[in-house]
Amino acid sequence: MLVFAAVVLMSAGKQDGAITKENGVTIVNTTTLTQNVEGYNGPVPVKIYIKKNKIEKVEVLKNQETPKYLAKVKKALITAWDGLSVKEAKAKKVDAVTGATFTSQAIIDNVQKGLDHFQKNK
């Protein structure tokens, strides 16, 4: 019985819902991975789309950030990882957007934690 419980718990970690696959693309959703990472007004989760170990895009999910500042961050920051390998993306130092530092840092942290999770669970 103890062995069965251990197997169930170990498999539950791999099936946490944070990683899904669609049409050959692995999607990492950081909503459950980064609940303690907050922007100015709360969590700023992202989805990271990875194909053949390269970042296709990063998408900001529903959040409570001020639309004006979020738009500024999206314009300047959200494509910073596009086309990079997962290893390159993890190593890249991305600067926060002036005037939207908390939101920027939350997105940067979400991407890093999402990529960590991908590497551990792919």
Side-chain angles (χ1 to χ4, degrees), residues 56-74:
E56 286 197 325
K57 70 177 181 175
V58 175
E59 174 185 338
V60 178
L61 299 176
K62 185 177 178 181
N63 61 74
Q64 299 300 314
E65 298 301 282
T66 305
K68 173 179 146 184
Y69 292 105
L70 185 60
K72 187 175 180 179
V73 171
K74 283 182 177 180

Side-chain angles (χ1 to χ4, degrees), residues 19-40:
I19 296 179
T20 58
K21 293 189 181 206
E22 292 179 18
N23 302 323
V25 177
T26 301
I27 304 166
V28 181
N29 182 330
T30 65
T31 302
T32 59
L33 302 176
T34 58
Q35 294 175 345
N36 61 336
V37 175
E38 295 199 359
Y40 189 76

Side-chain angles (χ1 to χ4, degrees), residues 7-20 33 117-122:
V7 169
V8 169
L9 287 174
M10 285 174 41
S11 65
K14 297 261 185 200
Q15 303 299 327
D16 58 11
I19 296 179
T20 58
L33 302 176
H117 188 75
F118 170 78
Q119 285 188 315
K120 290 176 188 167
N121 298 285
K122 60 182 171 178

